[in-house]
Amino acid sequence: MNAEAKVPVTILTGFLGSGKTTLLNKILSEEHGKRIAVIENEFGEVGIDQALVIEADEEIFEMSNGCICCTVRGDLIRVLGNLMKRRDKFDYVLVETTGLADPGPVAQTFFMDDEIREEFALDGIVTLVDAGHINQQLGRSDESEEQVAFADVLVLNKTDLVDDATLDDLEARLREMNRMARVVRCEQAEVPVDTVLNLSAFNLEEALERRPTFLEPEYPFEWTGVYQLSPGRYQLDLAEGPDPAMSLVVRPGQVLDDAGLREGAEWCVRRYAEPTCSVDVGGVVKAGEHACLELSSAGRKSFFFDVAAEDTVGLFTQHTAEEFDLKLRGPDGEEVPPSAERTWVAQHEHDDEVGSIAIERDGDVDPEKLNRWLGKLLQERGVDIFRTKGIISIAGDPMRMVFQGVHMLLDAQPDRPWGDDPRRNQLVLIGRNLDEQAIREGFDACLL
Amino acid sequence: MTEGKVTGVLQSDWSAAIQDYPMASCWTHDGGALVVCDSAGGVYAFDSQQGELLWSEQSAHEGGALAMSMHPRETLFATAGQDGKILIWDLSEARPRCCIEIGSGWVENLLWSPDGAQLASSHGREIQIFAADGTEQWRSDEHLSTVSALGWLNSKELVSTCYGRVTIFDSGTGGSDQRFEWKGSLVSLALSPDGDVIACGSQDNSVHFWRRSTGEDSMMSGYPGKPTALAFDSTGTLLATGGGDAVTVWSFEGNGPEGTYPGSLELHERAVSALSFAPDGLTLASGGRDGLVFVWSLQSDGQGRPEGAAMLESVLAEVCWRPDGKALAALDGEGIVTVWTVS
């Protein structure tokens, strides 16, 4: 049986009140042409008639071998085992867990049970987060942290309940905990369906084809301001700040909403990767270039950029506007306030127990050393390591090795030839109380 | 082997189609008819001789049927489904004579007692016992998890399995006086005819069994997959088990099966999905995910040889001997019912 024939399964997790049922109903109403089966552990009101809704209690089954990582969900085995018998197969299965569910056993079911694995493919884990309450929940409950840690997509819902600064801070906190997940902001679970379905998040080959990395970018800029501007020459007015220089990209055609800001951010990440063009005081910044403003002289300083036609312009700055008291002035000298702002990096550190470790290293790895190190790490710490993904350059092997894991279950396979790409290792672990330094040193010891 | 081909002791008799995946099948006690229910919720009754469709009810259980049991002496049978209902039918009436509504959720197990006086069912974590006319007699407390199987040790004692536990109930009072605990998910159940051995297939690729008389238990591990198909022969000598491409047969002769090697019947190319012993003697029918059916002649040590074979279109959902042992019904995943006479 080939992978294409498998029925994709998406898991929706999130605390009670985070909006799972709302999202579920939205998916069902938009995907009405498809045959979707819903397995509900939290008996909400699914208001769509054509979907087959099956209610089942969560039942966690441990195995007699005593390994506490080897837990599966008995209710899913039972229900999915029955669904796969029908001749009119389903196009998609959605599993809505209870607010207190541990996503580990749910995910492991799709790897541990042969019959389920043959017919179904776990597509992704979507975790809904209630922007108004998640900060308190994260401190209090392991389940809440685990749901964030396991997610492929974090839907930051109910953004209308908190102000923008809180939202930015919250997003930074979530990204710190889970660097693999995409974050999407919304009100009333209004997200495009294609951001939560058909992700192939557990099929690395396919996922990497769509996005070359499974690490969400760490933005090299801290702040974005979006301005609605008429044609003319604009002045960037800055005070002295903590650094003698600051990078900046001016992006024309910037869209104001969350999706637009993210798209702009990804575009600017690539601009930031280019060499800088130094701009002296009084100089002009060109749109789209990675400019470096020279700020070493004393007092307030001005730089300029030109707007040819009516436009919405984004400024992506290396530091926050506050740090340099950045102001934008129009051709008439009047200050222009931003129409939207976004802070990309946390203002203060959270000491969450759950966090991500991302390792990126050039060169080749000794496969035996890697096996020994990773095997030992997962054996000893598998309970606390929720998800793992990696692209590895094995010495002497022309193919990239990719792997992904849930707790102690690890699935590794050759991906595609390296070709002309630089041979580079990328490894991400998400877990609880992980010793980052030891893990980094452990991986480095596997390098040749 | 090519599709449709039959060899050895099996001789083509008749075949018929039902709408969807067969969920359960059984012959009437006199062997006069074969009744089948499917995952689309239909119930079908076929004449035993020519395979003529006596009657069918296409939408007896909304969402699909899950279980069926034939009364041991009368032409009554019961079906249950995802609609949370149990229907009691009389073969001659072509419609249910009684409908029991248990509640929302699946009714997954259903079994008449050997004397036909009671009907046991399970719904989620509960079991319910009814008189033959459908009157509820008692229901159990909640089990630790969803009840995975039911079996009657005799007409007075009922066995249930769930994750972590086997429970024996007094079918008259509903009291439970014996239970066996074991950390594992029990997915299938077979009882020796004398009611002493309770055998269970487990999610972690093993077969576990308990002897009631001594309280001893044993675990048979090393299966490559989940043993979802289990069958005892009518003398209680052999326990045939699936859990891989081979049929593994444990012999309870002498001090066995502990410390003995099982018989291994290796002709299936994919996992064994259905097993059934003929009513008399050590003749076993096996069906696999490969669409193959074999009839085996076994020795009391569990070794055996194939006597007949047939190939169907897809995975075998059920193999089911007629009570006289002279015909075998097989139901595949495409909804094809095939009956052979066995010489």
Side-chain angles (χ1 to χ4, degrees), chain B residues 144-160:
Chain B
L144 299 171
S145 77
T146 299
V147 175
S148 52
L150 293 176
W152 289 90
L153 289 160
N154 50 59
S155 290
K156 298 275 172 281
E157 290 177 303
L158 177 70
V159 183
S160 70

Side-chain angles (χ1 to χ4, degrees), chain A residues 3-19:
Chain A
E4 282 74 36
K6 294 186 184 184
V7 180
V9 182
T10 290
I11 299 164
L12 296 177
T13 71
F15 261 38
L16 189 68
S18 59

